[in-house]
């Protein structure tokens, strides 16, 4: 291109400008029109795809351990029977409309989680199905009119991006009249939604994130942290492993918030139970999927145990390379901070054989859990993970709090949940702690079985022991949470 | 080519402004603001790509660092939101000066890679500097205030932030249509000639780079306050890539095309939150169709139709050796040249 | 730091070299900055998995069959898609390859799940560990080093010492002149593209035994590979190989001393190299 051309270009640019901008305007307004057509395209689905009556009734029986023979609460004509247990102070106020008063005539439970990334199998769309099931089961038990309005379950994929999570959370609360947001794995996404819940003064029960910040420094009145956190993962695994496998630990962790949390919790827990940490190594984030450098360093440090503090795909690669380097043959055992059934499935149980880890729940825990897992398998086709179970339980407890309080007003429901003690198929000896809104419940130390001991697909682990909630989670007042009393 | 009355141009702007004003009533306001600021980000990229011929693959550094700076200023310093935005933009400018100084000495793909390299270093610093940035968890729940007014409502904030973003857009327009902008185009087309004519080309390119970075920083600051969140993802290379994609989809060298690109990408991303099974297939499919079918980008194609009065004029395809872009399309970024 | 860490660096480096080599050849011939290269690498790994899982075809055959199949797939894509945009700015093919990568990756996720599938080398020859000094090192990784370097040497020979190679080199450096001299350059474009893709797939097959075979495995690799190619000098075969190995070793050293920085190290190196040598280590400085 020569100078002449450039000059022409400049002149042409001036003339072209008028049309350019004109069209820009048209295009912008056309775009606006398109937006109008699809802007509100958020999936809303009612709980209509209900389970068959037998399934629902059966599930209700298993999911309500404290109430015997719940199956008697048939969907029809159950109103009278239902009003009675719900007979708290608020119930009489709304007697004309139904037992509970819904602020906008409907109850909306929103599931926000990873449905396309690495955590999709752990929770994902199956969680939505189970939350719908929880709604059906709840209504089967307490009657269709328990809330005096319809119940919807909506969902979205946050794509593991905190900005998407925050935007969706805003939209759920504002546009879809969501009364509660459930799940939200990935710590940064979980925290983003907590900030939104706080600003909107709406309920949020996080099940999927491990960060203690949710019920620590970044806690708020409307946020509840269900199921698990990094502190409890360390406090379950570290004491038992230090006692049984050896005292010298070497920790490798991913170099971001979750990994930092984990390594700190583990170091504390190991030291407290008489072990020592001989080395810690941060692996870059995002990882290259190759941990061989760290395994070599571990090899020369010769600890009793190497602890992988990774999550998701990194765990799988770490274990694969641990096996490749034959560290077990060199008497270096492996402990994993956070392990999901889907990780075990991805590499096969044999690769994980003998590895000890902490979990919030296991479907093979006991008969009650198995019964629930049988129901869940009919709904989602696979054996449920603890995230699936936790979300069902959280949805149930939320609805039950509304039933007891007689209203879905967030402030009242928060009051109702605070300090609530219960037992269900998921959470045993459970208390929702008033101080920081963490669910304190019994947790389990599990060990991966070899493939030949698996009774069926998904029966990967056996339980070695139970740690009572009060010992597993951060003690009262130590979380750094300041929910105004 | 007949000359159009200037009034048509202003009619176009009026329409665009009306669209911007009613946008939060058509779509969700948070999403509306995202479109405005990502559009600004893409315009910033186009300012560099379309008008200086420099493809930056590291603009996330400015977007991200400005977002963090604005977030920290608002959270720790408690400053009002326009001040936070200003601080964020200043941080982007301060970073852009040394990065630009070193990068503009390279061209084409080498320029892209140098900017990527610096952006990765910024990403690393943000991730490591936990005491200030919060590391990967980022800065959550950023407050936004203005003289004691409550800006927590998304719609209110949209209208409060819109003037700031519009300043950015107007500034971009002024730059492109100033003598300075014309020199940039001249340098893009033939740097040797521009230098021979006595223009200090490096200084022009550096100023162009800093202006582009400041617009990206302005967008990033508003984005952080709009989302009430500054996150590590903002500084990741994928964010740079997304802005480049918006620019190309809209049309390189059209300046406003990036806004259309932002509309397409963000609506698609929003739509996909409820259709996770289509995630990559839909994104990839839309991009492929636009690249193959509308090579000048959406706005670029529209302008081309408007100018030539006929559908997509033939693009010369004379095999590789004769590879020359259609003069009406984009400036060819010259990866085969190794800089000076 | 032990000597074994250097081996580790060489393993990583030989991957980088193989994949970068393919990318460099494609860029040299077609000026396509192929973002889908990472996806082809991933497809190679899945190829090995599918061969074993569905047809019980082991590692040695996979080493040949998977790159062949993926290479053919690459040629189809070149014919159907990339070819259409050669006349335009390379930016367009870059975006197209990004779109292709996204679609391929997502299709694999839908088919095999985000967590992916495990792959195991069944050959007895390559299992187990080798004693090196006081430590152990997996035999398979030693094989990877030797094999990749061998492949790089063969490719170098093909390009430098054969007639096809001569055409490729000529077309890479002076396409106009080559055409003017009556060489039918276009005829070679599709096979060369396929060959570059096959090299990426070969890298994938080698990686399958060391990493979980998962749809996102090429996603973060590709950006590092870009850096490697640029450090080596675009279109330079020796450059890609040397830069690949060097970056691998540098990253390994980095991991041993200051692990956090190791993933950023490649970009720091790239910035320094480009600021000192504008066209990379082995690139020729031509033009402006």
């Amino acid at each position: 291109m020569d100078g002449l051309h450039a000059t022409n270009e400049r002149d042409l640019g001036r003339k072209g400008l008028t049309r350019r901008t004109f069209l820009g305007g048209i295009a912008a307004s056309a775009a606006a029109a398109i937006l109008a057509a699809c802007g509100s395209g958020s999936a809303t689905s009612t709980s209509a795809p209900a389970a068959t009556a037998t399934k629902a009734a059966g599930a209700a029986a298993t999911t309500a351990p404290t109430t015997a023979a719940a199956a008697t609460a048939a969907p029809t004509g159950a109103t009278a029977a239902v009003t009675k247990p719900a007979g708290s102070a608020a119930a009489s106020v709304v007697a004309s409309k139904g037992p509970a008063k819904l602020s906008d005539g409907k109850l909306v439970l929103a599931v926000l989680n990873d449905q396309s990334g690495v955590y999709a199998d752990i929770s994902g769309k199956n969680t939505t199905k189970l939350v719908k099931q929880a709604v059906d089961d709840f209504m089967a038990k307490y009657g269709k009119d328990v809330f005096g309005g319809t119940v919807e379950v909506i969902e979205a994929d946050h794509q593991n991006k905190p900005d998407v999570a925050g935007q969706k959370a805003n939209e759920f609360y504002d546009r879809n009249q969501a009364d509660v947001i459930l799940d939200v794995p990935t710590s940064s996404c979980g925290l983003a939604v907590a900030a939104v819940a706080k600003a909107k003064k709406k309920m949020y029960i996080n099940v999927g994130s491990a960060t203690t910040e949710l019920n620590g420094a970044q806690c708020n009145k409307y946020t509840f942290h269900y199921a698990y956190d990094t502190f409890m993962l360390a406090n379950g695994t570290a004491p038992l492993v230090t006692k049984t496998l050896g005292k010298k630990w070497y920790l490798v962790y991913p170099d971001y918030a979750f990994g930092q949390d984990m390594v700190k919790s583990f170091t504390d827990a190991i030291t407290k139970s008489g072990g020592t940490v001989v080395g810690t190594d941060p692996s870059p984030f995002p990882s290259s999927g190759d941990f061989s450098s760290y395994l070599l360093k571990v090899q020369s440090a010769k600890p009793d145990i190497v602890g992988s503090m990774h999550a998701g795909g990194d765990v799988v690669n770490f274990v694969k390379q641990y096996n490749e380097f034959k560290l077990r043959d060199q008497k270096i055992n492996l402990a994993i901070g956070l392990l999901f059934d889907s990780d075990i499935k991805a590499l096969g149980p044999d690769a994980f054989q003998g590895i000890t880890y902490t979990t919030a729940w296991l479907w093979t825990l006991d008969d009650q859990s198995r019964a629930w897992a049988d129901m869940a398998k009919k709904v989602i086709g696979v054996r449920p993970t603890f995230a699936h179970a936790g979300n069902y339980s959280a949805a149930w407890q939320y609805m039950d709090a509304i039933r007891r309080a007689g209203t879905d007003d967030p402030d009242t429901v928060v009051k109702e949940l605070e300090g609530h003690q219960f037992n269900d198929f998921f959470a045993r000896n459970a208390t929702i702690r008033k101080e920081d809104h963490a669910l304190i419940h019994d947790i389990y130390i599990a060990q991966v079985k070899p493939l030949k001991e698996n009774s069926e697909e998904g029966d990967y682990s056996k339980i070695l022991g139970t740690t009572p909630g009060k010992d597993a989670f951060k003690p009262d007042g130590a979380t750094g949470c300041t929910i105004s009393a | 080519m007949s000359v159009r009355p200037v009034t048509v141009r202003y009619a176009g702007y009026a329409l665009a402004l009306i669209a911007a004003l009613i946008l939060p009533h058509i779509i969700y306001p948070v999403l509306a603001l995202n479109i405005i600021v990502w559009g600004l980000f893409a315009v910033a990229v186009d300012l560099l790509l379309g008008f200086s011929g420099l493809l930056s693959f590291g603009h996330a550094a400015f977007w991200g660092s400005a977002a963090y700076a604005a977030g920290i200023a608002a959270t720790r310093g408690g400053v009002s939101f326009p001040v936070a935005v200003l601080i964020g933009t200043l941080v982007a400018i301060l970073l852009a000066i040394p990065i630009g100084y070193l990068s503009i000495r390279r061209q084409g793909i080498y320029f892209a890679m140098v900017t990527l390299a610096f952006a990765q270093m910024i990403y690393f610093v943000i991730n490591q500097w936990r005491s200030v940035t919060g590391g990967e968890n980022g800065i959550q729940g950023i407050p936004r205030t203005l003289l004691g007014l409550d800006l927590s409502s998304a719609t209110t904030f949209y209208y409060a932030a819109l003037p700031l973003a519009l300043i950015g857009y107007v500034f971009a327009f002024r730059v492109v249509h100033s003598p300075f902008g014309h020199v940039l185009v001249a340098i893009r087309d033939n740097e040797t000639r521009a230098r021979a004519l006595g223009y200090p080309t490096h200084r022009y390119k550096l100023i162009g780079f800093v202006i582009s970075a400041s617009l990206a920083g302005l967008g990033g600051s508003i984005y952080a306050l709009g989302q009430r969140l500054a996150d590590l993802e903002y500084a990741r290379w994928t964010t740079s890539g997304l802005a480049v994609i918006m620019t190309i989809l809209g049309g390189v060298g059209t300046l406003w095309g990036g806004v259309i690109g932002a509309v397409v990408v963000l609506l698609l991303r929003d739509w996909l939150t409820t259709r996770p099974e289509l995630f990559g297939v839909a994104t990839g499919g839309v991009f492929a169709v636009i690249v193959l079918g509308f090579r000048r980008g959406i706005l670029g194609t529209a302008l081309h139709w408007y100018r030539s009065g006929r559908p997509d004029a033939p693009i010369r395809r004379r095999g590789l050796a004769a590879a020359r872009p259609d003069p009406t399309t984009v400036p060819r970024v010259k990866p085969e040249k190794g800089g000076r | 730091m032990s000597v074994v860490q250097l081996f580790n660096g060489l393993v990583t480096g030989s991957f980088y070299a193989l994949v970068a080599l393919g990318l460099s050849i494609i860029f040299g011939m077609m000026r396509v900055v192929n973002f889908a290269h990472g996806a082809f690498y991933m497809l190679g790994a899945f190829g090995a998995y599918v061969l074993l899982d569905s047809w019980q075809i082991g590692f040695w055959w996979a080493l040949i069959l998977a790159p062949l199949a993926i290479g053919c797939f690459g040629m189809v894509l070149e014919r159907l898609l990339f070819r259409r945009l050669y006349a335009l700015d390379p930016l367009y093919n870059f975006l197209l390859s990004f779109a292709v990568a996204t679609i391929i990756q997502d299709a694999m996720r839908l088919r095999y799940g985000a967590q992916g599938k495990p792959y195991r080398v069944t050959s007895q020859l390559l299992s187990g560990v080798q004693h090196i000094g006081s430590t152990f090192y997996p035999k398979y990784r030693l094989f990877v080093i030797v094999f990749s370097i061998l492949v790089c040497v063969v490719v170098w020979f093909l390009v430098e010492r054969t007639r096809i190679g001569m055409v490729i080199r000529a077309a890479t450096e002076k396409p106009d002149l080559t055409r003017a001299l009556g060489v039918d350059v276009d005829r070679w474009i599709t096979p060369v593209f396929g060959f570059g893709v096959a090299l990426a797939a070969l890298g994938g097959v080698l990686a399958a035994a060391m990493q979980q075979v998962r749809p996102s495995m090429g996603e973060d690799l590709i950006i590092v590979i870009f850096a490697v190619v640029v450090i080596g000098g675009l279109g330079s075969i020796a450059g890609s190989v040397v830069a690949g190995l060097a970056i691998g070793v540098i990253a390994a050293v980095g991991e041993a001393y200051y692990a956090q920085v190791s993933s950023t190290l490649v970009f720091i190196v790239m910035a320094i190299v480009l600021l000192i040598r504008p066209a990379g280590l082995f690139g020729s400085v031509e033009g402006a």
Side-chain angles (χ1 to χ4, degrees):
Chain A
M1 303 202 190
D2 55 29
L4 182 68
H5 183 93
T7 326
N8 283 341
E9 183 93 333
R10 190 191 292 188
D11 291 345
L12 288 175
R14 287 209 177 279
K15 287 174 196 161
L17 179 73
T18 54
R19 286 148 229 152
R20 190 184 294 167
T21 45
F22 170 66
L23 266 170
I26 291 189
S29 38
I34 297 165
L35 300 186
C38 56
S40 59
S42 181
T44 54
S45 50
T46 59
S47 59
T52 58
T54 48
K55 195 206 297 180
T62 59
T63 50
T66 48
T67 321
T72 50
T76 48
T79 326
V82 172
T83 324
K84 211 174 168 189
S88 60
S92 56
V93 182
V94 289
S96 58
K97 282 196 75 181
K101 184 176 162 49
L102 300 181
S103 51
D104 49 10
K106 62 177 179 178
L107 189 66
V108 180
L109 286 76
V111 176
L112 182 60
N113 59 15
D114 174 15
Q115 305 187 344
S116 55
V118 74
Y119 303 115
D121 293 342
I122 296 164
S123 188
K125 276 187 166 299
N126 281 343
T127 285
T128 317
K129 289 183 194 158
L130 285 168
V131 168
K132 281 179 185 159
Q133 187 61 43
V135 171
D136 292 342
D137 293 348
F138 193 86
M139 288 185 147
K141 183 176 173 191
Y142 291 108
K144 279 252 177 277
D145 294 328
V146 59
F147 300 119
T150 58
V151 181
E152 277 179 24
V153 177
I154 58 176
E155 64 173 333
D157 175 16
H158 66 34
Q159 303 164 5
N160 283 324
K161 295 189 182 85
D163 47 352
V164 174
Q167 183 196 316
K168 266 340 254 197
N170 269 305
E171 206 170 337
F172 274 159
Y173 288 137
D174 285 351
R175 287 215 142 181
N176 306 105
Q177 286 101 44
D179 294 289
V180 66
I181 291 179
L182 292 165
D183 204 6
V184 201
T186 309
S187 295
S188 50
C189 295
L191 290 170
V193 175
V196 176
K198 183 185 177 187
K200 302 271 176 210
K201 300 190 186 336
K202 291 282 179 72
M203 292 283 300
Y204 166 42
I205 306 178
N206 183 293
V207 180
S209 291
T211 178
T212 48
E213 291 271 297
L214 274 171
N215 55 309
Q218 301 196 40
C219 72
N220 66 64
K221 185 180 173 188
Y222 302 95
T223 297
F224 290 79
H225 196 190
Y226 221 76
Y228 79 120
D229 64 38
T230 51
F231 184 88
M232 141 286 203
L233 290 172
N235 267 304
T237 308
L240 185 83
V241 172
T242 308
K243 216 175 295 166
T244 53
L245 291 176
K247 297 201 181 312
K248 276 169 68 185
W249 285 71
Y250 197 108
L251 303 175
V252 184
Y253 62 97
D255 193 23
Y256 65 96
F258 166 77
Q260 296 279 337
D261 273 9
M262 287 289 279
V263 83
K264 199 171 157 297
S265 303
F266 262 84
T267 308
D268 291 349
I270 290 164
T271 322
K272 218 163 62 190
S273 28
T276 50
V277 177
V278 296
T280 58
D281 253 326
S283 65
F285 169 78
S287 90
S288 62
D290 184 29
F291 297 99
S292 48
S293 286
Y294 309 102
L295 291 167
L296 284 172
K297 280 164 102 172
V298 169
Q299 207 176 41
S300 47
K302 300 202 189 326
D304 300 318
I305 302 130
V306 52
S308 159
M309 305 289 115
H310 299 86
D314 286 350
V315 169
V316 173
N317 277 327
F318 196 95
V319 173
K320 183 159 184 169
Q321 287 152 22
Y322 167 85
N323 288 329
E324 193 193 352
F325 278 80
K326 307 266 180 230
L327 290 193
R328 197 193 305 272
D329 297 352
Q330 299 163 44
K331 304 272 182 294
I332 301 172
N333 280 293
L334 176 62
I336 293 177
L338 173 59
L339 188 62
F340 289 104
D341 286 355
S342 52
D343 299 328
I344 303 174
K345 187 182 172 199
L347 206 52
D350 278 342
F352 286 86
Q353 193 187 143
I355 288 171
T356 315
Y357 66 101
T358 299
T359 184
W361 181 79
L362 208 60
W363 71 268
T364 51
L365 185 62
D366 57 15
D367 288 346
Q368 194 188 359
S369 297
R370 279 175 185 276
W372 185 84
D374 288 342
M375 181 281 295
K377 193 178 179 184
K378 284 192 195 107
V379 178
I380 62 176
V382 291
R383 286 299 180 186
T385 66
F386 83 69
H388 294 142
N391 276 296
Y392 182 104
S393 166
W396 184 281
Q397 290 304 330
Y398 173 70
M399 288 186 288
D400 204 46
I402 292 177
R403 184 188 61 79
R404 294 196 307 270
T407 173
D408 66 348
D409 169 56
D411 293 288
T412 318
V413 177
V414 166
K415 281 260 168 326
E416 189 63 46
L417 281 172
E418 281 178 344
H420 181 57
Q421 300 193 349
F422 64 96
N423 262 301
D424 70 8
F425 75 98
F426 170 76
R428 304 295 161 82
N429 305 315
T431 311
I432 296 173
R433 198 155 62 187
K434 189 172 185 299
E435 289 72 25
D436 64 345
H437 289 182
L439 175 75
I440 309 298
H441 64 119
D442 293 356
I443 58 159
Y444 311 96
I445 299 151
Q447 189 175 38
V448 184
K449 300 187 284 191
L451 182 62
K452 60 177 190 294
E453 290 175 26
N454 291 8
S455 63
E456 62 170 294
E457 167 97 39
D459 173 30
Y460 298 125
S461 309
K462 63 181 178 212
I463 301 231
L464 293 182
T466 304
T467 308
K470 63 176 169 45
D471 299 333
F473 290 87
K474 272 194 185 174
D476 273 9
T479 55
C481 168
T482 48
I483 295 176
S484 48
Chain B
M1 289 207 180
S2 60
V3 181
R4 289 271 160 177
V6 180
T7 46
V8 176
R9 186 209 304 180
Y10 286 111
Y13 282 122
L15 273 175
L17 190 65
I18 290 167
L21 285 173
I22 60 170
L23 196 58
H25 300 286
I26 303 169
I27 57 170
Y28 186 61
V30 177
L31 185 58
L33 186 62
N34 289 356
I35 287 173
I36 299 289
V37 291
W38 276 95
L40 187 59
F41 192 11
V43 166
V45 169
D46 196 27
L47 199 63
L48 211 51
L49 175 60
F51 297 88
S52 316
L54 294 169
L55 168 64
S56 167
F57 213 73
H59 258 43
F62 310 120
W63 172 264
S65 55
Y68 270 92
I72 292 164
T75 311
R76 305 246 177 106
V79 299
S80 65
F81 100 89
V83 180
V85 169
L86 188 69
I87 291 173
T89 312
L90 281 177
V91 166
I93 291 173
L94 287 179
L95 280 174
I97 293 169
I99 293 178
Y101 181 80
L102 293 169
S103 310
I104 48 132
R105 273 139 227 285
R106 302 289 165 260
Q107 293 177 343
I109 198 154
Y110 293 100
F111 175 82
M113 295 312 277
V114 174
T115 47
L116 168 69
F118 284 120
Q120 289 296 97
M121 292 176 208
I122 302 280
Y123 175 87
F124 173 75
V125 170
I126 294 177
N127 189 21
Q128 293 298 318
W129 201 4
R130 279 192 189 85
S131 54
V132 173
T133 61
E136 185 255 358
N137 275 348
I139 296 171
Q140 311 273 356
I142 298 169
R144 48 197 196 205
T145 54
L146 178 63
L147 308 170
L149 287 173
D150 178 27
L151 296 178
S152 59
S153 144
T155 315
T156 318
F157 186 73
Y158 177 88
Y159 289 112
L162 188 62
L164 287 180
L166 287 181
I167 290 173
Y169 281 109
V170 172
F171 185 55
F173 177 81
R174 288 308 312 156
V175 168
V176 166
H177 296 280
S178 67
F180 172 81
H182 294 296
V183 176
L184 275 189
V185 172
I187 295 172
R188 175 196 83 193
D189 290 339
N190 193 330
E191 186 166 351
T192 322
R193 183 177 292 266
R195 206 178 313 113
L197 287 170
Y199 289 112
T201 54
H202 275 0
R203 195 184 304 160
Y204 272 87
K205 278 159 79 178
L206 176 59
I207 295 172
F209 186 90
V210 172
I211 289 173
S212 169
S214 69
L215 292 178
L218 176 62
S221 308
I222 303 176
Y223 189 58
L225 289 157
Q227 293 281 330
R228 315 190 74 156
L229 165 80
D231 180 73
L232 194 56
E233 185 79 19
Y234 294 6
R236 210 171 162 223
W237 64 268
T238 44
T239 300
S240 302
L242 201 59
V244 171
I245 284 166
M246 287 173 182
T247 308
I248 302 176
L249 288 184
V252 176
T254 57
L255 196 61
W256 307 129
V259 184
I260 310 289
V263 169
V264 171
V265 170
L266 292 179
L267 285 188
L268 193 63
R269 192 170 83 165
D270 189 55
W271 182 71
L272 285 170
T273 57
T274 52
R275 283 157 194 85
E277 65 282 356
L278 294 173
F279 190 68
V281 175
T283 339
V286 168
F287 294 170
V289 165
I290 291 178
V291 172
L292 288 168
F294 306 92
R295 290 163 193 181
R296 294 173 184 84
I298 300 166
L299 184 58
T301 304
L303 288 173
H304 184 76
W305 285 1
Y306 176 74
R307 278 182 197 153
S308 61
R310 63 200 158 113
D312 211 11
I315 286 186
R316 273 168 267 175
R317 231 181 292 159
R318 279 184 276 138
L320 293 181
R324 274 265 174 271
D326 186 322
T328 54
T329 62
V330 291
R332 184 176 163 88
V333 179
K334 304 179 183 66
E336 69 273 25
K337 290 193 178 168
R340 291 182 329 107
Chain C
M1 195 186 85
S2 61
V3 187
V4 204
Q5 290 284 12
L6 281 181
F7 279 110
N8 244 342
L10 287 176
V11 173
T12 316
S14 46
F15 271 101
Y16 289 169
L18 264 188
V19 183
L21 193 58
L23 193 69
S24 201
I25 288 175
I26 290 177
F27 178 84
M29 189 86 171
M30 277 137 269
R31 292 284 178 265
V32 173
V33 182
N34 184 19
F35 199 91
H37 215 62
F40 294 131
Y41 162 85
M42 176 267 288
L43 282 181
F46 269 104
Y49 165 77
V50 170
L51 284 175
L52 186 66
D53 192 57
S54 306
W55 294 292
Q56 283 76 48
I57 297 172
F59 176 71
W60 297 110
W61 280 105
L63 220 43
I64 300 164
L65 293 177
L68 214 61
I70 312 296
C72 290
F73 176 61
M75 290 201 272
V76 171
L77 285 181
E78 195 275 340
R79 279 273 163 184
L80 290 179
L81 299 174
F82 294 108
R83 177 157 290 245
R84 293 163 186 274
L85 299 177
Y86 289 148
L88 293 179
D89 189 287
L91 214 55
Y92 286 80
N93 253 326
F94 175 72
L95 185 61
L96 181 63
S97 66
F98 176 80
V100 167
T102 317
I103 294 173
I104 292 176
Q105 191 177 322
D106 207 48
M108 297 313 272
R109 177 180 68 80
L110 290 175
R111 177 70 184 80
Y112 296 101
Q115 283 273 31
K117 298 286 174 190
Y119 181 75
R120 221 164 57 82
V121 173
T122 43
S123 163
Q124 281 301 313
L125 195 64
L126 297 177
S127 55
V129 286
Q130 178 73 42
H131 289 256
I132 298 174
S134 60
T135 50
F136 306 85
Y137 204 71
K139 284 181 189 163
Y140 178 77
R141 288 184 183 242
L142 295 172
F143 162 78
V144 167
I145 301 175
V146 176
F147 181 78
S148 324
I149 293 177
L150 208 67
V151 171
C152 291
V153 170
V154 169
V155 172
W156 177 83
F157 180 83
L158 280 176
V159 175
E160 295 290 326
R161 293 280 180 272
T162 63
R163 204 189 126 67
I164 306 167
M166 206 170 70
V167 172
I168 294 174
R169 269 183 300 140
T172 302
E173 280 166 24
K174 295 264 184 298
D176 291 326
L177 198 61
T178 314
R179 233 173 277 265
L181 288 171
V183 179
D184 186 1
V185 175
D186 292 350
R187 191 157 65 101
W188 292 104
I189 286 177
T190 308
V192 168
F193 191 91
F195 183 66
V197 168
L199 282 176
L202 185 63
V205 176
L206 289 174
M210 292 170 8
Q211 288 194 16
Q212 176 78 344
V213 179
R214 62 192 200 283
S216 64
M217 65 192 290
E219 196 181 35
D220 276 312
L221 181 78
I222 185 68
I223 204 84
V224 176
I225 295 297
F226 278 158
V228 166
V229 170
V230 167
I231 291 170
L234 280 167
S236 161
I237 287 171
S240 302
V241 176
V242 172
L245 291 172
I247 290 299
V249 171
I250 289 171
V253 173
E255 277 177 354
Y257 287 106
Y258 183 26
Q260 290 96 322
V261 85
S262 64
S263 60
T264 314
L265 218 48
V266 57
F267 298 103
I268 297 174
V269 171
M270 177 168 75
I272 295 170
V273 166
L274 286 188
L275 294 175
I276 298 169
R277 284 189 62 89
L281 294 175
F282 290 74
S284 54
V285 186
E286 53 169 276

